[in-house]
Amino acid sequence: NVNIYTYIYLSYFHFTIFYFGCLVVLIGDSGVGKSNLLSRFTRDEFNLESKSTIGVEFATKSIELKNNKIIKAQIWDTAGQERYRAITSAYYRGAVGALLVYDITKKNSFENIEKWLKELRDNADSNIVILLVGNKSDLKHLRVINDNDATQFAKKEKLAFIETSALEATNVELAFHQLLNG
Ligand SMILES: Nc1nc2c(ncn2[C@@H]2O[C@H](COP(=O)(O)OP(=O)(O)OP(=O)(O)O)[C@@H](O)[C@H]2O)c(=O)[nH]1
């Protein structure tokens, strides 16, 4: 039971994909740092007390690819909270890439990657490029997921893998570029 406002909302987003071309989605548990990866990449901003995303937020940025082509990437930050699942899964369609994010200090967020990956594979186009991202690499003393476990998992699932810190701006640019360069 989708109401008329939801239809208008969805049509608007689908129009913007058509207009901007390259859609990337950020996926993962609530609190892993998706909103901050987006703000670091698009505005070079970090927010220590960022609020939970409601539904979907987006930002755009022009990126120069390896082949010198300049594309305008539209990046959607989807809410990690369970209650928004019904809205966000509709947005996977049409995405060329996905950053699948967990927090290196939260075991649950890594265990849930399997669930996110399934949701992504069930809803997204089959040729979508997926990058596994271990965020908050600055919190070395709180690390519970070592990069070996993540590398193993990524290999098994045929994903690329990178660790980032939105706080220290480590590998954030690289992650988006790697994703869009395919
Ligand atoms: N130390 C550290 N903290 C981070 C980093 N990235 C995000 N945070 C913090 O983690 C908390 C959650 O970040 P958000 O970006 O709001 O997380 P989110 O995944 O967008 O959460 P939802 O919108 O609920 O899905 C905030 O307090 C951020 O300041 C990072 O790289 N290092």
Side-chain angles (χ1 to χ4, degrees), residues 105-135:
T105 73
K106 296 263 153 46
K107 196 160 187 268
N108 262 347
S109 73
F110 182 67
E111 287 167 350
N112 283 336
I113 285 291
E114 225 153 329
K115 179 194 83 178
W116 290 112
L117 191 58
K118 181 175 185 320
E119 193 169 294
L120 191 58
R121 287 186 168 145
D122 287 349
N123 293 286
D125 298 342
S126 57
N127 54 356
I128 188 171
V129 181
I130 306 170
L131 178 62
L132 179 66
V133 177
N135 189 40

Side-chain angles (χ1 to χ4, degrees), residues 28-39 46-54 57 77-81 84 101 103 135-139 164-169 172:
D29 277 8
S30 181
V32 296
K34 299 179 298 295
S35 300
N36 277 283
L37 286 167
L38 175 72
S39 63
F46 181 83
N47 191 345
L48 209 53
E49 274 145 47
S50 69
K51 287 190 224 78
S52 235
T53 305
I54 298 171
E57 284 170 14
D77 170 20
T78 61
Q81 289 176 21
Y84 299 116
V101 189
D103 174 345
N135 189 40
K136 308 196 187 180
S137 63
D138 55 283
L139 297 175
T164 57
S165 166
L167 174 74
E168 292 180 341
V172 177

